[in-house]
Amino acid sequence: MNPLLDKLQPYPFEKLRQLFAGVTPNPALRPISLGIGEPKHPTPQFIRQALADNLSGLANYPSTMGSEALRGTIANWLERRYDLPALDPATQVLPVNGSREALFAFAQAVIDPSVAHTPLVVCPNPFYQIYEGAAYLAGAEPYFVNSDPARNFAPDFDTVPDEVWKKVQLLYICSPGNPTGAVLTLTDWEHLFALSERYDFVIAADECYSEIYHGDEPPLGALQAAHTLGLSSVERPYARLVVFSSLSKRSNVPGMRSGFVAGDAEVLKKFLLYRTYHGGAMSPAVQAASIAAWNDEAHVADNRTQYRAKFTVVTPLLQTVLDVALPDAGFYLWADVSRTGLTDEEFARRLYEQYNVTVLPGSYLARDAHGSNPGRNRIRMALVAETAEGLEAAQRIVQFCNTLT
């Protein structure tokens, strides 16, 4: 067996299962889970219908490139959403079976393990654990850059030494971030692009939470930042930059496994070659439903309104007992539980036992790096259920915290 598999840590939810082992939650209260970021809003009927109407496509082998119609639809959505100049659907867009699969596979295509030193993959900390696993299985090592609460939880890349940057081949960044909800600024992107050019590494920008935001302005995207900075009209547009997005959160179709990658045509050409062998082709029926989803914004606005209603009700309530703020975007609350006197694991275990509410310890989403674990004494709460259930969970959390004082 591949010895690199031994480097993989248990997934956060397996750690949570172990934490709850032997605990019997309060049977007087129905279970409420804020632990997993799985969208719970209903899938729009028109997407379901588009999928059903195109089941005849199951009789055909799909192309790894996806249909021209789907690539064109994605390119048009990117142009509308981020005010970009025309993209080439044939070279700058590639459909994928959800962003998770593509984020993992991308490292296999990018990393060159034949170099004299061990390649490095920069990851934010806390992070989506797929980044770490992708680095290990590609023969590289992850290098974690801690998020800084004083910088709106943005990773502080100025802390990375020059000798580290020289070994970096790939950098993962999530904006809006999981679990913090932080959105990178144009200045942040400008700094990252300069580092990428100087040290010749590829940026993988994970943007799967881009359409769930709480302010008036939608989050700045990586391609949008590059265009604003003049990098869309150079000889190699969007050089060393690839963005990853998905319909899962935007359109409430996590089971459809539909997303895309877009950006640097030279990088995508190699990634397409990899995926042709890897077998990463999207079902024709899913492609048809995806076209319908990307072409409609009304359901996205409605979805966003539902999340805003939840956060408007839940956040102020939780602020009475925890240090937590409304995030820039996404559907997570990233709360500091230090004032309760409990660690993140103790908080999660006792809350589950006494009030039958599941939250995820923040330390499970981060690693000890540079003398600290930036997720320690924090919890992640996914506000994915309906507003009434989220409100009930918040009320129970408040009751629990009040018993600790």
Side-chain angles (χ1 to χ4, degrees):
M1 298 298 291
N2 187 341
L4 296 176
L5 288 168
D6 295 332
K7 294 187 174 185
L8 300 181
Q9 292 200 29
Y11 217 59
F13 308 114
E14 172 59 22
K15 292 182 179 180
L16 188 66
R17 188 188 66 80
Q18 295 173 9
L19 178 69
F20 288 170
V23 175
T24 300
N26 187 341
L29 297 170
R30 67 184 182 92
I32 298 179
S33 178
L34 306 181
I36 299 178
E38 179 182 46
K40 298 296 185 183
H41 297 168
T43 299
Q45 178 57 32
F46 79 93
I47 298 178
R48 296 160 58 97
Q49 191 63 50
L51 184 66
D53 289 345
N54 287 276
L55 292 179
S56 60
L58 298 180
N60 306 110
Y61 280 119
S63 164
T64 305
M65 284 187 69
S67 67
E68 291 184 15
L70 177 57
R71 294 196 311 274
T73 297
I74 294 170
N76 289 337
W77 180 81
L78 283 164
E79 292 159 15
R80 293 194 308 272
R81 167 62 172 83
Y82 297 110
D83 195 22
L84 301 177
L87 294 166
D88 184 350
T91 62
Q92 292 180 298
V93 174
L94 181 63
V96 296
N97 294 315
S99 56
R100 173 175 177 164
E101 175 265 331
L103 285 162
F104 182 84
F106 192 63
Q108 323 301 308
V110 170
I111 296 299
D112 177 6
S114 69
V115 295
H117 52 77
T118 301
L120 296 181
V121 174
V122 170
C123 302
N125 195 29
F127 62 101
Y128 183 37
Q129 196 159 321
I130 293 301
Y131 309 156
E132 178 188 60
Y136 283 136
L137 269 295
E141 290 283 333
Y143 182 92
F144 297 108
V145 183
N146 293 346
S147 67
D148 183 358
R151 302 177 68 250
N152 191 32
F153 297 105
D156 188 356
F157 293 112
D158 287 336
T159 64
V160 181
D162 180 71
E163 58 268 23
V164 169
W165 283 122
K166 291 178 180 178
K167 299 177 183 178
V168 173
Q169 295 187 11
L170 175 63
L171 179 144
Y172 284 108
I173 188 69
C174 188
S175 178
N178 173 9
T180 67
V183 173
L184 268 62
T185 67
L186 184 61
T187 301
D188 294 328
W189 282 116
E190 186 174 25
H191 187 35
L192 269 181
F193 296 151
L195 288 168
S196 171
E197 181 177 15
R198 179 178 178 184
Y199 295 103
D200 193 27
F201 60 79
V202 176
I203 297 173
D206 181 355
E207 299 182 344
C208 68
Y209 298 94
S210 67
E211 303 313 288
I212 302 172
Y213 51 91
H214 308 291
D216 295 331
E217 293 297 322
L220 177 69
L223 293 180
Q224 183 181 20
H227 172 58
T228 302
L229 295 168
L231 302 179
S232 60
S233 57
V234 293
E235 183 177 351
R236 181 181 170 184
Y238 309 112
R240 297 173 299 279
L241 173 63
V242 174
V243 301
F244 297 70
S245 193
S246 165
L247 287 172
S248 295
K249 281 81 174 174
R250 174 189 182 271
S251 298
N252 298 308
V253 288
M256 206 162 77
R257 310 312 304 140
S258 177
F260 68 81
V261 296
D264 185 339
E266 291 187 22
V267 174
L268 290 187
K269 182 179 180 180
K270 292 292 188 180
F271 192 38
L272 173 60
L273 174 64
Y274 171 88
R275 293 182 62 76
T276 301
Y277 280 81
H278 189 249
M282 185 186 295
S283 161
V286 172
Q287 291 190 53
S290 300
I291 290 172
W294 288 117
N295 275 331
D296 182 79
E297 291 298 327
H299 78 286
V300 184
D302 177 67
N303 190 43
R304 192 159 49 240
T305 297
Q306 292 184 62
Y307 279 114
R308 286 177 174 177
K310 275 184 281 192
F311 277 83
T312 298
V313 172
V314 170
T315 307
L317 190 58
L318 291 175
Q319 285 174 331
T320 64
V321 292
L322 300 174
D323 292 324
V324 62
L326 183 70
D328 294 336
F331 50 49
Y332 300 116
L333 284 174
W334 185 234
D336 188 332
V337 301
S338 299
R339 64 198 258 194
T340 69
L342 302 178
T343 68
D344 54 319
E345 287 188 312
E346 291 169 340
F347 187 99
R349 184 181 172 93
R350 289 178 57 177
L351 176 66
Y352 176 67
E353 181 178 29
Q354 297 173 29
Y355 286 87
N356 212 348
V357 174
T358 301
V359 297
L360 191 64
S363 58
Y364 292 1
L365 297 165
R367 296 287 181 263
D368 291 329
H370 320 296
S372 68
N373 181 317
R376 186 170 290 119
N377 297 332
R378 289 186 176 272
I379 58 168
R380 191 190 76 177
M381 295 172 281
L383 299 188
V384 290
E386 299 298 335
T387 299
E389 186 171 290
L391 177 59
E392 183 179 347
Q395 290 168 337
R396 292 189 202 175
I397 292 171
V398 171
Q399 293 172 13
F400 169 67
C401 291
N402 286 335
T403 67
L404 302 173
T405 57

